[in-house]
mmCIF file of all heavy atoms in Angstrom:
data_model
loop_
_atom_site.group_PDB
_atom_site.id
_atom_site.type_symbol
_atom_site.label_atom_id
_atom_site.label_comp_id
_atom_site.label_asym_id
_atom_site.label_seq_id
_atom_site.Cartn_x
_atom_site.Cartn_y
_atom_site.Cartn_z
ATOM 1 N N ALA A 1 0.839 -1.157 0.005
ATOM 2 C CA ALA A 1 -0.024 -0.016 0.047
ATOM 3 C C ALA A 1 0.879 1.267 0.026
ATOM 4 O O ALA A 1 0.589 2.216 -0.711
ATOM 5 C CB ALA A 1 -0.964 0.013 1.186
ATOM 6 N N HIS A 2 1.971 1.232 0.688
ATOM 7 C CA HIS A 2 2.854 2.341 0.746
ATOM 8 C C HIS A 2 3.472 2.635 -0.611
ATOM 9 O O HIS A 2 3.504 3.733 -1.052
ATOM 10 C CB HIS A 2 3.987 2.128 1.830
ATOM 11 C CG HIS A 2 5.133 3.122 1.596
ATOM 12 N ND1 HIS A 2 5.036 4.462 1.958
ATOM 13 C CD2 HIS A 2 6.372 2.962 1.114
ATOM 14 C CE1 HIS A 2 6.232 5.034 1.679
ATOM 15 N NE2 HIS A 2 7.043 4.124 1.128
ATOM 16 N N LEU A 3 3.961 1.624 -1.192
ATOM 17 C CA LEU A 3 4.614 1.654 -2.481
ATOM 18 C C LEU A 3 3.707 2.260 -3.560
ATOM 19 O O LEU A 3 4.056 3.191 -4.299
ATOM 20 C CB LEU A 3 5.205 0.371 -2.965
ATOM 21 C CG LEU A 3 6.336 -0.202 -2.083
ATOM 22 C CD1 LEU A 3 6.642 -1.656 -2.598
ATOM 23 C CD2 LEU A 3 7.534 0.720 -2.156
ATOM 24 N N LEU A 4 2.486 1.764 -3.572
ATOM 25 C CA LEU A 4 1.580 2.215 -4.574
ATOM 26 C C LEU A 4 1.134 3.642 -4.290
ATOM 27 O O LEU A 4 0.836 4.374 -5.322
ATOM 28 C CB LEU A 4 0.349 1.294 -4.635
ATOM 29 C CG LEU A 4 0.675 -0.184 -5.077
ATOM 30 C CD1 LEU A 4 -0.606 -0.957 -4.962
ATOM 31 C CD2 LEU A 4 1.266 -0.189 -6.492
ATOM 32 N N ALA A 5 1.056 4.040 -3.116
ATOM 33 C CA ALA A 5 0.581 5.413 -2.850
ATOM 34 C C ALA A 5 1.639 6.505 -2.871
ATOM 35 O O ALA A 5 1.350 7.654 -3.026
ATOM 36 C CB ALA A 5 -0.012 5.453 -1.369
ATOM 37 N N SER A 6 2.919 6.061 -2.812
ATOM 38 C CA SER A 6 4.072 7.001 -2.556
ATOM 39 C C SER A 6 5.090 7.007 -3.615
ATOM 40 O O SER A 6 6.064 7.829 -3.536
ATOM 41 C CB SER A 6 4.690 6.754 -1.189
ATOM 42 O OG SER A 6 3.706 6.710 -0.146
ATOM 43 N N HIS A 7 4.950 6.147 -4.587
ATOM 44 C CA HIS A 7 6.089 5.960 -5.638
ATOM 45 C C HIS A 7 5.517 5.920 -7.012
ATOM 46 O O HIS A 7 4.269 5.820 -7.224
ATOM 47 C CB HIS A 7 6.940 4.771 -5.267
ATOM 48 C CG HIS A 7 7.691 4.841 -3.997
ATOM 49 N ND1 HIS A 7 8.871 5.611 -3.906
ATOM 50 C CD2 HIS A 7 7.435 4.392 -2.690
ATOM 51 C CE1 HIS A 7 9.323 5.483 -2.679
ATOM 52 N NE2 HIS A 7 8.393 4.808 -1.947
ATOM 53 N N SER A 8 6.397 5.972 -7.975
ATOM 54 C CA SER A 8 6.033 5.983 -9.434
ATOM 55 C C SER A 8 6.527 4.754 -10.074
ATOM 56 O O SER A 8 7.636 4.337 -9.880
ATOM 57 C CB SER A 8 6.584 7.224 -10.039
ATOM 58 O OG SER A 8 6.139 8.439 -9.521
ATOM 59 N N PHE A 9 5.727 4.239 -11.014
ATOM 60 C CA PHE A 9 6.196 3.168 -11.945
ATOM 61 C C PHE A 9 7.059 3.775 -13.049
ATOM 62 O O PHE A 9 7.071 5.060 -13.280
ATOM 63 C CB PHE A 9 5.044 2.469 -12.516
ATOM 64 C CG PHE A 9 4.411 1.520 -11.519
ATOM 65 C CD1 PHE A 9 3.204 1.937 -10.941
ATOM 66 C CD2 PHE A 9 4.970 0.273 -11.166
ATOM 67 C CE1 PHE A 9 2.476 1.070 -10.087
ATOM 68 C CE2 PHE A 9 4.331 -0.548 -10.286
ATOM 69 C CZ PHE A 9 3.152 -0.154 -9.685
ATOM 70 N N ALA A 10 7.854 2.836 -13.665
ATOM 71 C CA ALA A 10 8.816 3.405 -14.789
ATOM 72 C C ALA A 10 8.006 4.117 -15.837
ATOM 73 O O ALA A 10 8.455 5.213 -16.253
ATOM 74 C CB ALA A 10 9.484 2.134 -15.339
ATOM 75 N N GLU A 11 6.880 3.639 -16.227
ATOM 76 C CA GLU A 11 6.072 4.297 -17.247
ATOM 77 C C GLU A 11 5.686 5.717 -16.800
ATOM 78 O O GLU A 11 5.543 6.588 -17.607
ATOM 79 C CB GLU A 11 4.881 3.446 -17.702
ATOM 80 C CG GLU A 11 3.999 2.982 -16.579
ATOM 81 C CD GLU A 11 4.379 1.609 -16.039
ATOM 82 O OE1 GLU A 11 5.565 1.247 -16.007
ATOM 83 O OE2 GLU A 11 3.425 0.859 -15.729
ATOM 84 N N ASP A 12 5.388 5.858 -15.483
ATOM 85 C CA ASP A 12 5.115 7.284 -15.037
ATOM 86 C C ASP A 12 6.260 8.174 -15.201
ATOM 87 O O ASP A 12 6.101 9.359 -15.624
ATOM 88 C CB ASP A 12 4.736 7.173 -13.478
ATOM 89 C CG ASP A 12 3.574 6.345 -13.182
ATOM 90 O OD1 ASP A 12 2.580 6.448 -13.987
ATOM 91 O OD2 ASP A 12 3.530 5.574 -12.246
ATOM 92 N N ALA A 13 7.468 7.700 -14.885
ATOM 93 C CA ALA A 13 8.725 8.498 -15.083
ATOM 94 C C ALA A 13 8.831 8.861 -16.571
ATOM 95 O O ALA A 13 9.199 10.046 -16.941
ATOM 96 C CB ALA A 13 9.914 7.752 -14.621
ATOM 97 N N GLY A 14 8.518 7.946 -17.452
ATOM 98 C CA GLY A 14 8.560 8.213 -18.832
ATOM 99 C C GLY A 14 7.616 9.352 -19.329
ATOM 100 O O GLY A 14 7.953 10.223 -20.180
ATOM 101 N N ARG A 15 6.447 9.328 -18.726
ATOM 102 C CA ARG A 15 5.495 10.369 -19.050
ATOM 103 C C ARG A 15 5.928 11.786 -18.616
ATOM 104 O O ARG A 15 5.887 12.752 -19.370
ATOM 105 C CB ARG A 15 4.177 10.117 -18.413
ATOM 106 C CG ARG A 15 3.439 8.850 -18.948
ATOM 107 C CD ARG A 15 2.058 8.715 -18.350
ATOM 108 N NE ARG A 15 1.389 7.477 -18.841
ATOM 109 C CZ ARG A 15 1.423 6.314 -18.091
ATOM 110 N NH1 ARG A 15 2.044 6.258 -16.932
ATOM 111 N NH2 ARG A 15 0.830 5.231 -18.647
ATOM 112 N N VAL A 16 6.614 11.856 -17.432
ATOM 113 C CA VAL A 16 7.143 13.096 -17.003
ATOM 114 C C VAL A 16 8.287 13.567 -17.897
ATOM 115 O O VAL A 16 8.275 14.762 -18.349
ATOM 116 C CB VAL A 16 7.623 13.048 -15.488
ATOM 117 C CG1 VAL A 16 8.347 14.294 -15.139
ATOM 118 C CG2 VAL A 16 6.554 12.685 -14.587
ATOM 119 N N ALA A 17 9.241 12.721 -18.270
ATOM 120 C CA ALA A 17 10.260 13.029 -19.077
ATOM 121 C C ALA A 17 9.858 13.536 -20.470
ATOM 122 O O ALA A 17 10.433 14.579 -21.111
ATOM 123 C CB ALA A 17 11.236 11.877 -19.244
ATOM 124 N N THR A 18 8.887 12.842 -21.066
ATOM 125 C CA THR A 18 8.311 13.237 -22.360
ATOM 126 C C THR A 18 7.634 14.619 -22.262
ATOM 127 O O THR A 18 7.878 15.459 -23.143
ATOM 128 C CB THR A 18 7.427 12.192 -22.987
ATOM 129 O OG1 THR A 18 8.066 10.943 -23.010
ATOM 130 C CG2 THR A 18 6.792 12.588 -24.200
ATOM 131 N N ALA A 19 6.788 14.805 -21.224
ATOM 132 C CA ALA A 19 6.105 16.044 -21.036
ATOM 133 C C ALA A 19 7.064 17.214 -20.865
ATOM 134 O O ALA A 19 6.875 18.330 -21.333
ATOM 135 C CB ALA A 19 5.118 15.974 -19.971
ATOM 136 N N ALA A 20 8.178 16.953 -20.163
ATOM 137 C CA ALA A 20 9.184 17.985 -19.911
ATOM 138 C C ALA A 20 10.142 18.252 -21.002
ATOM 139 O O ALA A 20 10.802 19.297 -20.945
ATOM 140 C CB ALA A 20 9.968 17.655 -18.616
ATOM 141 N N GLY A 21 10.236 17.374 -22.001
ATOM 142 C CA GLY A 21 11.204 17.544 -23.048
ATOM 143 C C GLY A 21 12.612 17.476 -22.618
ATOM 144 O O GLY A 21 13.424 18.285 -23.042
ATOM 145 N N VAL A 22 12.884 16.634 -21.618
ATOM 146 C CA VAL A 22 14.309 16.524 -21.166
ATOM 147 C C VAL A 22 15.167 15.864 -22.192
ATOM 148 O O VAL A 22 14.746 15.142 -23.047
ATOM 149 C CB VAL A 22 14.276 15.835 -19.786
ATOM 150 C CG1 VAL A 22 13.389 16.463 -18.831
ATOM 151 C CG2 VAL A 22 14.060 14.287 -19.938
ATOM 152 N N ALA A 23 16.538 16.055 -22.019
ATOM 153 C CA ALA A 23 17.375 15.430 -23.023
ATOM 154 C C ALA A 23 17.777 13.988 -22.669
ATOM 155 O O ALA A 23 18.120 13.170 -23.561
ATOM 156 C CB ALA A 23 18.732 16.254 -22.997
ATOM 157 N N HIS A 24 17.740 13.668 -21.379
ATOM 158 C CA HIS A 24 18.176 12.305 -20.931
ATOM 159 C C HIS A 24 17.451 11.895 -19.641
ATOM 160 O O HIS A 24 17.375 12.745 -18.725
ATOM 161 C CB HIS A 24 19.672 12.406 -20.663
ATOM 162 C CG HIS A 24 20.339 11.098 -20.471
ATOM 163 N ND1 HIS A 24 21.768 10.902 -20.637
ATOM 164 C CD2 HIS A 24 19.893 9.845 -20.089
ATOM 165 C CE1 HIS A 24 22.085 9.597 -20.382
ATOM 166 N NE2 HIS A 24 20.947 9.050 -20.035
#
């Protein structure tokens, strides 16, 4: 329950990186 409420899956990280237009 803690992990699901408090952390991000890899695909979530990908969405942030894509939306932010980061280089790496």
Side-chain angles (χ1 to χ4, degrees):
H2 164 74
L3 293 174
L4 295 178
S6 305
H7 294 278
S8 300
F9 286 104
E11 51 267 38
D12 298 318
R15 292 186 185 96
V16 174
T18 299
V22 304
H24 191 157

